[in-house]
Amino acid sequence: QVRLVESGGGLVQPGGSLRLSCAASGINFRLYTMGWYRQAPGLERELVTNITGGGSSNYEETVQGRFTISRDNVRNTVFLKMESLKPEDTAVYYCNTGAYGRNFWGQGTRVTVSA
């Protein structure tokens, strides 16, 4: 059974930092691209960033230079370091992977950027 469990969200002031984690189980982790998506209130879920098994990454334009995705293929965990956070980064952040022909999601972790 594939399972993704996010952690690390919370309330942070503008300009602050957070580090999200997503622990994966049930897959041969190192083989799969892992992604972070977010969904703000009233908006569609959007891709923030992803990272291949080999470590190549892509970023959505508004987070380029502020967010960093990384992965630990021994601990089966993907991380999202978020810096210089802005109120518009407020959203529920979801971990994602595609495996066995299906899309898998975590339960999400809420990030609120507010003074």
Side-chain angles (χ1 to χ4, degrees):
Q1 180 181 359
V2 179
R3 191 169 183 226
L4 303 174
V5 180
E6 302 99 333
S7 61
L11 173 64
V12 62
Q13 293 186 343
S17 301
L18 279 176
R19 188 195 194 207
L20 307 183
S21 299
C22 170
S25 59
I27 58 171
N28 193 341
F29 181 80
R30 63 183 179 86
L31 297 181
Y32 295 102
T33 295
M34 301 296 298
W36 285 99
Y37 287 70
R38 66 185 178 187
Q39 188 166 18
L43 299 179
E44 294 187 354
R45 194 172 297 188
E46 64 175 358
L47 176 65
V48 177
T49 178
N50 59 21
I51 185 168
T52 67
S56 298
S57 57
N58 295 286
Y59 295 91
E60 191 271 330
E61 185 177 356
T62 64
V63 307
Q64 181 79 44
R66 299 188 298 121
F67 290 12
T68 305
I69 191 171
S70 61
R71 64 189 294 157
D72 184 332
N73 287 341
V74 174
R75 294 166 58 193
N76 291 358
T77 303
V78 60
F79 304 97
L80 181 62
K81 184 178 182 182
M82 305 185 294
E83 298 174 296
S84 302
L85 282 161
K86 304 176 181 180
E88 50 264 43
D89 294 318
T90 295
V92 178
Y93 284 71
Y94 297 90
C95 182
N96 167 272
T97 191
Y100 316 122
R102 292 180 53 192
N103 233 353
F104 294 95
W105 299 93
Q107 82 287 352
T109 185
R110 185 175 301 276
V111 172
T112 303
V113 185
S114 174

